[in-house]
Amino acid sequence: MGEQAEATFARQLALVIDLDVCVGCHACVTSCKQWNTSGAAGPLSDQSAYGAQPSGTFFNRVQTYEAGTFPATDTVHFPKSCLHCQDPPCVPVCPTGASYKRKEDGVVLVDYDKCIGCKYCSWACPYGAREFDEQMRVMTKCTLCVDRIYDRGLPEGDRQPACVKACPTGARLFGDVNDPRSPVSQAIAERGGYELMPEWGTRPANRYLPRRSPAAPTSDPSP
């Protein structure tokens, strides 16, 4: 499938996330939830949102963990959503064709009218990027805000995914990663942007710009 994907999907929209400037504020999470809840598909479900065991559907999540060895430790905030793989394993396992990859821009989407909620796609995805909506009984995922980025009713500067617009530190970049002249491709080349779990052979379109090495600690607190 790899050779076919390269030939068919010449244009590949994706997110490039700069881990060096992400502060874990969750603005991307809340803006994504807000935008997709207000769309034509209806609200993303929340079960007992203010109860003891809340659960809900989110297209974007941020994981935070500690890296390194004391005293050279570092807090890493790691946003993760669908990576819009160039060889998406979620597509061929779908029995109804509800999961598909668009030829014009490489975005992986779900047709809710065809989805039967079997969850095969979530089992096939090695990144845990699929979300089952308990109320709609369908699989959901990041769409890269296709309803927004192509909306000519919006100012050109607003035709970006909601998470990109909301990020206060500019940690999220958006564009065509297959175009070597694009800002996202240049950032990948300059910073050594990498794929998540490349050993799976899915060729994820989203990339991550690595953290720079933290400054060495000093034992003298004086200026």
Side-chain angles (χ1 to χ4, degrees), residues 72-154:
T73 57
D74 194 17
T75 300
V76 178
H77 304 290
F78 198 89
K80 192 170 70 172
S81 59
C82 172
L83 289 99
H84 298 278
C85 302
Q86 300 203 47
D87 286 320
C90 58
V91 171
V93 300
C94 180
T96 66
S99 290
Y100 65 101
K101 186 173 176 67
R102 302 203 321 181
K103 293 182 180 180
E104 62 266 33
D105 53 20
V107 178
V108 178
L109 296 174
V110 177
D111 185 338
Y112 293 163
D113 291 334
K114 295 181 179 179
C115 181
I116 58 175
C118 66
K119 302 183 182 180
Y120 284 177
C121 59
S122 66
W123 298 336
C125 176
Y127 307 106
R130 293 293 181 117
E131 296 263 334
F132 183 68
D133 191 297
E134 294 287 351
Q135 293 179 354
M136 294 194 296
R137 309 301 295 176
V138 295
M139 300 306 299
T140 61
K141 59 178 294 299
C142 164
T143 67
L144 284 181
C145 290
V146 291
D147 57 336
R148 180 186 180 101
I149 62 177
Y150 294 113
D151 186 354
R152 294 186 177 276
L154 292 174

Side-chain angles (χ1 to χ4, degrees), residues 43-83:
L44 300 178
S45 67
D46 282 305
Q47 305 292 324
S48 186
Y50 301 101
Q53 295 182 323
S55 66
T57 302
F58 291 85
F59 294 169
N60 185 67
R61 297 178 185 270
V62 178
Q63 300 170 343
T64 298
Y65 61 92
E66 297 298 318
T69 304
F70 181 83
T73 57
D74 194 17
T75 300
V76 178
H77 304 290
F78 198 89
K80 192 170 70 172
S81 59
C82 172
L83 289 99

